[in-house]
Coordinates of all heavy atoms in Angstrom, one line a residue:
P203 N 13.9 -2.4 -12.8 CA 13.0 -2.5 -11.7 C 13.4 -3.6 -10.8 O 13.9 -4.6 -11.2 CB 11.6 -2.7 -12.3 CG 11.7 -2.6 -13.8 CD 13.2 -2.6 -14.1
P204 N 13.0 -3.5 -9.5 CA 13.4 -4.6 -8.5 C 12.6 -5.8 -8.7 O 11.5 -5.7 -9.3 CB 13.1 -3.9 -7.2 CG 12.2 -2.8 -7.4 CD 12.5 -2.3 -8.9
S205 N 13.1 -6.9 -8.3 CA 12.3 -8.1 -8.4 C 11.2 -8.0 -7.4 O 11.1 -7.2 -6.6 CB 13.2 -9.3 -8.0 OG 13.4 -9.3 -6.6
S206 N 10.2 -8.9 -7.6 CA 8.9 -8.8 -6.8 C 9.3 -9.0 -5.3 O 8.7 -8.3 -4.5 CB 7.9 -9.9 -7.2 OG 8.4 -11.2 -7.0
T207 N 10.2 -9.8 -4.9 CA 10.6 -10.1 -3.5 C 11.2 -8.8 -3.0 O 10.9 -8.3 -1.9 CB 11.5 -11.2 -3.3 OG1 10.7 -12.4 -3.8 CG2 11.8 -11.5 -1.9
V208 N 12.1 -8.2 -3.8 CA 12.8 -7.0 -3.4 C 11.8 -5.9 -3.3 O 11.8 -5.0 -2.4 CB 14.0 -6.7 -4.4 CG1 14.6 -5.3 -4.1 CG2 15.0 -7.7 -4.3
A209 N 10.9 -5.7 -4.3 CA 9.9 -4.7 -4.2 C 9.0 -4.8 -3.0 O 8.7 -3.8 -2.3 CB 8.9 -4.8 -5.5
R210 N 8.6 -6.0 -2.6 CA 7.7 -6.2 -1.5 C 8.5 -5.8 -0.2 O 7.9 -5.0 0.6 CB 7.4 -7.7 -1.3 CG 6.6 -8.0 -0.1 CD 6.3 -9.5 0.0 NE 5.4 -9.8 1.1 CZ 5.8 -10.0 2.4 NH1 7.1 -9.9 2.6 NH2 5.0 -10.3 3.3
E211 N 9.7 -6.1 -0.1 CA 10.5 -5.7 1.1 C 10.7 -4.2 1.1 O 10.6 -3.6 2.1 CB 11.8 -6.5 1.1 CG 11.7 -7.9 1.5 CD 10.9 -8.1 2.7 OE1 11.2 -7.5 3.8 OE2 10.0 -9.0 2.7
A212 N 10.9 -3.7 -0.1 CA 11.2 -2.1 -0.2 C 9.9 -1.4 0.2 O 10.0 -0.4 1.1 CB 11.6 -1.8 -1.6
V213 N 8.8 -1.9 -0.2 CA 7.5 -1.2 0.1 C 7.3 -1.4 1.6 O 6.8 -0.3 2.2 CB 6.3 -1.8 -0.7 CG1 5.0 -1.4 -0.1 CG2 6.5 -1.4 -2.1
L214 N 7.5 -2.5 2.2 CA 7.3 -2.7 3.6 C 8.2 -1.7 4.4 O 7.8 -1.0 5.4 CB 7.7 -4.1 4.1 CG 6.6 -5.2 3.6 CD1 7.1 -6.6 4.0 CD2 5.3 -4.9 4.3
E215 N 9.5 -1.6 4.0 CA 10.4 -0.7 4.7 C 10.0 0.7 4.5 O 10.2 1.6 5.4 CB 11.9 -0.9 4.1 CG 12.5 -2.1 4.6 CD 12.5 -2.4 6.2 OE1 12.9 -1.3 6.9 OE2 12.1 -3.4 6.6
L216 N 9.5 1.1 3.3 CA 9.0 2.5 3.1 C 7.8 2.8 4.0 O 7.4 3.9 4.3 CB 8.8 2.8 1.6 CG 9.9 2.7 0.7 CD1 9.6 2.7 -0.7 CD2 10.9 3.7 1.0
T217 N 6.9 1.8 4.2 CA 5.7 2.0 4.8 C 5.8 2.1 6.3 O 5.1 2.9 7.0 CB 4.7 0.9 4.5 OG1 4.6 0.7 3.1 CG2 3.3 1.1 5.2
R218 N 6.7 1.3 7.0 CA 6.9 1.2 8.4 C 7.1 2.7 9.0 O 6.4 2.9 10.1 CB 8.0 0.3 8.9 CG 7.6 -1.1 8.7 CD 8.7 -2.1 9.2 NE 8.2 -3.5 9.0 CZ 8.8 -4.2 8.1 NH1 9.6 -3.9 7.2 NH2 8.2 -5.5 8.0
P219 N 7.9 3.6 8.5 CA 8.0 4.9 9.2 C 6.7 5.7 9.2 O 6.5 6.6 9.9 CB 9.2 5.6 8.4 CG 9.8 4.5 7.6 CD 8.8 3.4 7.4
V220 N 5.8 5.4 8.2 CA 4.7 6.2 8.0 C 3.5 5.6 8.8 O 2.5 6.3 9.3 CB 4.3 6.2 6.5 CG1 3.0 7.1 6.3 CG2 5.5 6.8 5.7
M221 N 3.4 4.3 8.9 CA 2.3 3.6 9.6 C 2.8 2.2 10.0 O 3.6 1.6 9.5 CB 1.0 3.5 8.7 CG 1.3 2.7 7.4 SD -0.3 2.5 6.6 CE -0.6 0.7 6.9
P222 N 2.1 1.7 11.1 CA 2.3 0.3 11.5 C 2.0 -0.7 10.4 O 0.9 -0.5 9.8 CB 1.6 0.1 12.7 CG 0.7 1.3 12.9 CD 1.1 2.4 11.9
V223 N 2.8 -1.6 10.1 CA 2.5 -2.6 9.2 C 2.1 -3.9 9.9 O 2.8 -4.4 10.7 CB 3.8 -2.9 8.3 CG1 3.5 -4.0 7.3 CG2 4.2 -1.6 7.6
E224 N 0.9 -4.4 9.6 CA 0.4 -5.6 10.3 C -0.2 -6.5 9.2 O -0.8 -6.1 8.2 CB -0.9 -5.1 11.2 CG -1.4 -6.3 11.9 CD -2.6 -5.9 12.8 OE1 -2.6 -4.8 13.3 OE2 -3.6 -6.5 12.8
F225 N 0.2 -7.8 9.3 CA -0.4 -8.8 8.5 C -1.2 -9.8 9.2 O -0.8 -10.2 10.3 CB 0.8 -9.5 7.7 CG 1.6 -8.7 6.8 CD1 2.7 -8.1 7.1 CD2 1.0 -8.4 5.6 CE1 3.5 -7.4 6.2 CE2 1.7 -7.6 4.7 CZ 2.9 -7.0 5.0
R226 N -2.3 -10.1 8.6 CA -3.2 -11.2 9.2 C -3.6 -11.9 8.0 O -4.0 -11.4 6.9 CB -4.3 -10.6 10.0 CG -4.0 -9.9 11.2 CD -5.3 -9.5 11.9 NE -5.9 -8.6 11.0 CZ -6.9 -7.8 11.3 NH1 -7.4 -7.8 12.5 NH2 -7.5 -7.0 10.4
A227 N -3.6 -13.2 8.1 CA -4.2 -14.1 7.0 C -5.3 -14.9 7.5 O -5.3 -15.4 8.6 CB -3.1 -15.0 6.5
P228 N -6.3 -15.0 6.8 CA -6.5 -14.4 5.5 C -7.1 -13.0 5.6 O -7.7 -12.7 6.7 CB -7.7 -15.2 4.8 CG -8.4 -15.8 6.0 CD -7.3 -16.0 7.2
V229 N -6.9 -12.2 4.6 CA -7.5 -10.8 4.7 C -8.9 -10.9 4.1 O -9.1 -11.4 2.9 CB -6.6 -9.8 3.9 CG1 -7.3 -8.4 3.8 CG2 -5.2 -9.7 4.4
R230 N -9.8 -10.5 4.9 CA -11.2 -10.6 4.3 C -11.6 -9.2 3.8 O -11.2 -8.1 4.1 CB -12.1 -10.9 5.5 CG -11.7 -12.2 6.1 CD -12.6 -12.6 7.3 NE -12.2 -13.8 7.9 CZ -11.3 -13.9 8.9 NH1 -10.7 -12.9 9.4 NH2 -11.1 -15.2 9.3
P231 N -12.6 -9.2 2.9 CA -13.2 -8.0 2.4 C -13.6 -7.0 3.5 O -13.5 -5.8 3.4 CB -14.4 -8.4 1.6 CG -14.0 -9.7 1.1 CD -13.3 -10.4 2.2
T232 N -14.2 -7.5 4.6 CA -14.6 -6.7 5.7 C -13.4 -6.0 6.3 O -13.6 -4.9 6.8 CB -15.4 -7.5 6.7 OG1 -14.6 -8.5 7.2 CG2 -16.7 -7.9 6.2
D233 N -12.3 -6.6 6.4 CA -11.0 -6.0 6.8 C -10.7 -4.8 6.0 O -10.2 -3.7 6.5 CB -9.8 -7.0 6.9 CG -10.1 -8.2 7.8 OD1 -10.7 -8.0 8.8 OD2 -9.5 -9.3 7.5
L234 N -10.7 -5.0 4.7 CA -10.3 -4.0 3.8 C -11.4 -2.8 3.9 O -10.9 -1.6 3.8 CB -10.3 -4.5 2.3 CG -9.3 -5.6 2.1 CD1 -9.4 -6.2 0.7 CD2 -7.9 -5.2 2.3
L235 N -12.6 -3.1 4.0 CA -13.6 -2.0 4.0 C -13.5 -1.2 5.3 O -13.9 -0.1 5.4 CB -15.0 -2.6 3.8 CG -15.3 -3.1 2.4 CD1 -16.6 -4.0 2.3 CD2 -15.5 -1.9 1.5
A236 N -13.0 -1.9 6.3 CA -12.9 -1.2 7.7 C -11.6 -0.3 7.8 O -11.4 0.5 8.7 CB -12.8 -2.2 8.8
A237 N -10.7 -0.5 6.7 CA -9.4 0.2 6.8 C -9.6 1.7 6.4 O -10.5 2.1 5.7 CB -8.5 -0.5 5.8
D238 N -8.7 2.5 6.8 CA -8.6 3.9 6.4 C -8.1 4.0 5.0 O -8.6 4.9 4.2 CB -7.8 4.7 7.3 CG -8.4 4.8 8.7 OD1 -9.6 4.9 8.8 OD2 -7.5 4.9 9.7
E239 N -7.1 3.2 4.7 CA -6.5 3.2 3.4 C -6.1 1.8 3.1 O -5.7 1.0 3.9 CB -5.1 4.1 3.4 CG -5.5 5.5 3.5 CD -4.2 6.3 3.4 OE1 -3.4 6.0 2.5 OE2 -4.0 7.1 4.3
V240 N -6.2 1.4 1.7 CA -5.6 0.2 1.3 C -4.9 0.5 0.0 O -5.3 1.2 -0.8 CB -6.8 -0.8 0.9 CG1 -6.3 -2.0 0.3 CG2 -7.6 -1.1 2.2
F241 N -3.7 -0.2 -0.2 CA -2.9 0.0 -1.4 C -2.4 -1.4 -1.8 O -2.1 -2.3 -0.9 CB -1.9 0.9 -1.4 CG -0.9 0.8 -0.4 CD1 0.3 0.0 -0.7 CD2 -0.8 1.5 0.8 CE1 1.4 -0.2 0.2 CE2 0.3 1.4 1.7 CZ 1.3 0.5 1.4
V242 N -2.1 -1.6 -3.0 CA -1.3 -2.8 -3.5 C -0.1 -2.3 -4.2 O 0.0 -1.1 -4.5 CB -2.2 -3.6 -4.6 CG1 -3.4 -4.2 -3.9 CG2 -2.5 -2.8 -5.8
A243 N 0.9 -3.1 -4.1 CA 2.2 -2.8 -4.7 C 2.8 -3.9 -5.5 O 2.6 -5.0 -5.2 CB 3.2 -2.3 -3.7
G244 N 3.4 -3.6 -6.6 CA 4.1 -4.6 -7.4 C 5.1 -4.0 -8.3 O 5.2 -2.7 -8.4
T245 N 6.0 -4.8 -8.8 CA 7.1 -4.4 -9.6 C 6.7 -3.6 -10.7 O 7.2 -2.5 -11.0 CB 8.0 -5.6 -10.0 OG1 8.4 -6.4 -8.8 CG2 9.2 -5.2 -10.7
A246 N 5.7 -4.1 -11.5 CA 5.3 -3.4 -12.7 C 4.4 -2.2 -12.4 O 4.6 -1.2 -13.2 CB 4.6 -4.3 -13.6
C247 N 3.6 -2.2 -11.4 CA 2.7 -1.0 -11.2 C 3.1 0.0 -10.1 O 2.4 1.0 -10.0 CB 1.3 -1.7 -10.9 SG 1.2 -2.5 -9.3
G248 N 4.0 -0.4 -9.4 CA 4.5 0.5 -8.3 C 3.4 0.4 -7.2 O 3.0 -0.7 -6.9
V249 N 3.0 1.5 -6.6 CA 2.0 1.6 -5.5 C 0.7 2.2 -6.0 O 0.7 3.3 -6.5 CB 2.5 2.3 -4.3 CG1 1.6 2.5 -3.1 CG2 3.9 1.8 -3.8
I250 N -0.4 1.5 -5.8 CA -1.7 1.9 -6.3 C -2.7 1.8 -5.2 O -2.9 0.8 -4.5 CB -2.2 1.0 -7.5 CG1 -1.2 1.1 -8.6 CG2 -3.6 1.4 -8.0 CD1 -1.6 0.2 -9.7
G251 N -3.4 2.9 -4.9 CA -4.4 3.0 -3.9 C -5.7 2.2 -4.4 O -6.1 2.4 -5.6
I252 N -6.3 1.5 -3.5 CA -7.6 0.9 -3.7 C -8.6 1.6 -2.9 O -8.5 1.8 -1.8 CB -7.6 -0.6 -3.2 CG1 -6.4 -1.4 -3.8 CG2 -8.9 -1.2 -3.5 CD1 -6.4 -1.4 -5.3
V253 N -9.6 2.3 -3.6 CA -10.5 3.2 -3.0 C -12.0 2.7 -3.0 O -12.7 3.2 -2.2 CB -10.5 4.6 -3.6 CG1 -9.1 5.2 -3.6 CG2 -11.0 4.5 -5.2
R254 N -12.2 1.7 -3.7 CA -13.6 1.0 -3.6 C -13.5 -0.5 -3.7 O -12.5 -1.0 -4.3 CB -14.4 1.5 -4.8 CG -14.8 3.0 -4.7 CD -15.7 3.5 -5.9 NE -16.9 2.9 -6.0 CZ -17.9 3.2 -5.1 NH1 -17.9 4.0 -4.2 NH2 -19.1 2.6 -5.3
L255 N -14.5 -1.2 -3.1 CA -14.4 -2.6 -3.1 C -16.0 -3.0 -3.1 O -16.6 -2.6 -2.2 CB -13.7 -3.2 -1.8 CG -13.7 -4.7 -1.7 CD1 -13.0 -5.4 -2.9 CD2 -13.2 -5.1 -0.4
D256 N -16.3 -3.9 -4.0 CA -17.7 -4.3 -4.1 C -18.7 -3.0 -4.1 O -19.7 -3.0 -3.5 CB -18.1 -5.2 -3.0 CG -17.4 -6.5 -3.1 OD1 -17.0 -6.9 -4.3 OD2 -17.2 -7.3 -2.1
G257 N -18.3 -2.0 -4.8 CA -19.1 -0.8 -4.8 C -19.2 0.1 -3.6 O -19.9 1.1 -3.6
R258 N -18.3 -0.2 -2.7 CA -18.3 0.6 -1.4 C -17.0 1.2 -1.2 O -16.0 0.7 -1.6 CB -18.6 -0.3 -0.2 CG -20.1 -0.9 -0.3 CD -20.4 -1.7 1.0 NE -19.7 -3.0 0.8 CZ -19.8 -4.0 1.6 NH1 -20.5 -3.9 2.8 NH2 -19.2 -5.1 1.4
D259 N -17.0 2.4 -0.8 CA -15.8 3.2 -0.5 C -14.9 2.5 0.6 O -15.5 2.1 1.6 CB -16.1 4.7 -0.1 CG -16.6 5.5 -1.2 OD1 -16.5 5.0 -2.4 OD2 -17.1 6.6 -1.0
I260 N -13.6 2.7 0.4 CA -12.7 2.4 1.5 C -12.2 3.7 2.0 O -11.8 4.5 1.3 CB -11.5 1.5 0.9 CG1 -12.0 0.1 0.4 CG2 -10.3 1.4 2.1 CD1 -10.9 -0.7 -0.2
G261 N -12.3 3.8 3.3 CA -12.0 5.2 3.9 C -12.9 6.2 3.3 O -14.1 6.1 3.2
T262 N -12.3 7.3 2.8 CA -13.0 8.4 2.2 C -13.3 8.2 0.7 O -14.0 9.1 0.1 CB -12.1 9.7 2.3 OG1 -10.9 9.5 1.5 CG2 -11.7 10.0 3.8
G263 N -12.9 7.1 0.2 CA -13.1 6.9 -1.2 C -12.1 7.4 -2.2 O -12.3 7.5 -3.3
T264 N -11.0 8.0 -1.6 CA -10.0 8.6 -2.4 C -8.7 8.0 -1.8 O -8.6 7.7 -0.7 CB -10.0 10.1 -2.3 OG1 -9.8 10.6 -0.9 CG2 -11.2 10.7 -3.0
E265 N -7.6 8.2 -2.7 CA -6.3 7.8 -2.1 C -5.9 8.7 -0.9 O -6.1 9.9 -1.0 CB -5.2 7.9 -3.2 CG -5.2 6.7 -4.2 CD -3.9 6.8 -5.0 OE1 -3.2 7.7 -5.1 OE2 -3.7 5.7 -5.6
G266 N -5.4 8.0 0.1 CA -5.0 8.8 1.3 C -3.6 9.2 1.3 O -2.8 8.9 0.5
P267 N -3.2 10.0 2.4 CA -1.8 10.5 2.5 C -0.8 9.4 2.6 O 0.2 9.6 2.1 CB -1.9 11.4 3.7 CG -3.1 11.1 4.5 CD -4.1 10.4 3.4
V268 N -1.2 8.4 3.3 CA -0.1 7.3 3.5 C 0.2 6.7 2.1 O 1.3 6.5 1.8 CB -0.6 6.3 4.5 CG1 0.4 5.0 4.6 CG2 -0.7 6.8 5.8
T269 N -0.9 6.3 1.4 CA -0.6 5.7 0.1 C 0.2 6.6 -0.8 O 1.1 6.2 -1.5 CB -2.1 5.5 -0.6 OG1 -2.8 4.5 0.2 CG2 -1.9 4.9 -2.0
M270 N -0.1 7.9 -0.8 CA 0.6 8.9 -1.7 C 2.1 9.0 -1.3 O 2.9 9.0 -2.1 CB -0.1 10.2 -1.8 CG -1.4 10.2 -2.4 SD -2.2 11.8 -2.7 CE -3.2 11.8 -1.2
Q271 N 2.3 9.0 0.0 CA 3.7 9.1 0.6 C 4.5 7.9 0.3 O 5.6 8.0 -0.2 CB 3.7 9.3 2.1 CG 5.0 9.7 2.6 CD 5.0 10.1 4.0 OE1 4.0 10.1 4.7 NE2 6.1 10.4 4.6
V272 N 3.9 6.7 0.4 CA 4.6 5.5 0.2 C 4.9 5.3 -1.4 O 6.0 5.0 -1.8 CB 3.8 4.2 0.6 CG1 4.4 3.0 0.1 CG2 3.7 4.2 2.2
R273 N 3.9 5.8 -2.2 CA 4.1 5.8 -3.6 C 5.3 6.7 -4.0 O 6.2 6.3 -4.8 CB 2.9 6.3 -4.4 CG 3.2 6.4 -6.0 CD 2.1 6.9 -6.8 NE 0.9 6.3 -6.6 CZ -0.2 6.8 -6.1 NH1 -0.2 8.1 -5.7 NH2 -1.3 6.1 -5.9
E274 N 5.4 7.9 -3.5 CA 6.4 8.9 -3.7 C 7.7 8.3 -3.3 O 8.8 8.4 -4.0 CB 6.1 10.2 -3.0 CG 5.0 11.0 -3.7 CD 4.5 12.2 -2.9 OE1 5.3 12.5 -1.9 OE2 3.5 12.8 -3.1
R275 N 7.8 7.7 -2.1 CA 9.0 7.1 -1.6 C 9.5 5.9 -2.5 O 10.7 5.8 -2.7 CB 8.9 6.7 -0.2 CG 8.6 8.0 0.7 CD 8.3 7.6 2.1 NE 9.6 7.5 2.8 CZ 9.8 7.0 4.0 NH1 8.8 6.5 4.6 NH2 11.0 7.0 4.4
Y276 N 8.5 5.2 -3.0 CA 8.9 4.1 -3.8 C 9.4 4.5 -5.1 O 10.4 4.0 -5.7 CB 7.6 3.2 -4.0 CG 8.0 1.9 -4.9 CD1 8.6 0.7 -4.3 CD2 7.6 1.8 -6.2 CE1 8.9 -0.3 -5.0 CE2 7.8 0.6 -6.9 CZ 8.5 -0.4 -6.4 OH 8.8 -1.5 -7.1
Q277 N 8.8 5.6 -5.7 CA 9.3 6.1 -7.0 C 10.7 6.6 -6.9 O 11.5 6.4 -7.8 CB 8.3 7.2 -7.5 CG 7.0 6.5 -8.0 CD 6.0 7.6 -8.3 OE1 6.0 8.8 -7.8 NE2 4.9 7.2 -9.1
V278 N 11.0 7.3 -5.8 CA 12.3 7.7 -5.6 C 13.4 6.6 -5.6 O 14.4 6.6 -6.1 CB 12.4 8.6 -4.3 CG1 13.9 8.9 -3.9 CG2 11.7 10.0 -4.5
L279 N 12.9 5.6 -4.8 CA 13.8 4.4 -4.6 C 14.1 3.7 -6.0 O 15.2 3.4 -6.3 CB 13.1 3.3 -3.6 CG 13.8 2.1 -3.5 CD1 15.2 2.3 -2.7 CD2 13.0 1.1 -2.7
V280 N 13.0 3.5 -6.8 CA 13.2 2.9 -8.1 C 14.0 3.8 -9.0 O 14.9 3.2 -9.8 CB 11.8 2.6 -8.7 CG1 12.0 2.1 -10.1 CG2 11.1 1.5 -7.9
R281 N 13.7 5.1 -9.0 CA 14.5 6.0 -9.8 C 15.9 6.1 -9.4 O 16.8 6.1 -10.4 CB 13.8 7.4 -9.8 CG 14.4 8.4 -10.7 CD 13.9 9.8 -10.7 NE 14.2 10.3 -9.3 CZ 13.3 10.8 -8.5 NH1 12.1 10.8 -8.7 NH2 13.7 11.3 -7.3
D282 N 16.2 6.2 -8.2 CA 17.6 6.5 -7.7 C 18.3 5.3 -7.3 O 19.5 5.4 -7.1 CB 17.5 7.5 -6.5 CG 16.9 8.8 -6.9 OD1 16.9 9.2 -8.1 OD2 16.5 9.6 -6.0
G283 N 17.6 4.2 -7.2 CA 18.2 2.9 -6.9 C 18.6 2.9 -5.4 O 19.1 2.3 -4.7

């Protein structure tokens, strides 16, 4: 598996063609709850959609198409190198 820095950069590169990538610090719970989709990514876990926060749905409350597409692209990258 890629290192955490390599994994982070890979996920950013895989995400940019699908949606704009924007970072603001700090990220607040209200920012996450206002989002259409939220996902986390890591070397060990790959890409995982976050669908609820503090008992409230994020977006539709299910993983969205961007999350699924980024996950699929990441799995191909990890599998094929």
Side-chain angles (χ1 to χ4, degrees):
S205 72
S206 60
T207 302
V208 172
R210 178 181 184 274
E211 291 305 314
V213 169
L214 289 173
E215 288 303 314
L216 295 171
T217 304
R218 283 187 181 104
V220 181
M221 64 175 251
V223 177
E224 178 183 327
F225 290 101
R226 291 181 303 192
V229 176
R230 297 177 183 90
T232 53
D233 297 327
L234 300 174
L235 288 166
D238 294 327
E239 297 183 44
V240 174
F241 64 82
V242 295
T245 305
C247 66
V249 177
I250 299 174
I252 306 299
V253 298
R254 292 181 63 76
L255 178 65
D256 291 337
R258 293 183 285 182
D259 287 348
I260 295 174
T262 63
T264 61
E265 282 192 344
V268 172
T269 300
M270 289 186 271
Q271 185 173 4
V272 172
R273 177 188 303 115
E274 290 169 11
R275 297 175 87 192
Y276 183 78
Q277 289 171 341
V278 168
L279 177 67
V280 171
R281 182 185 68 233
D282 297 342

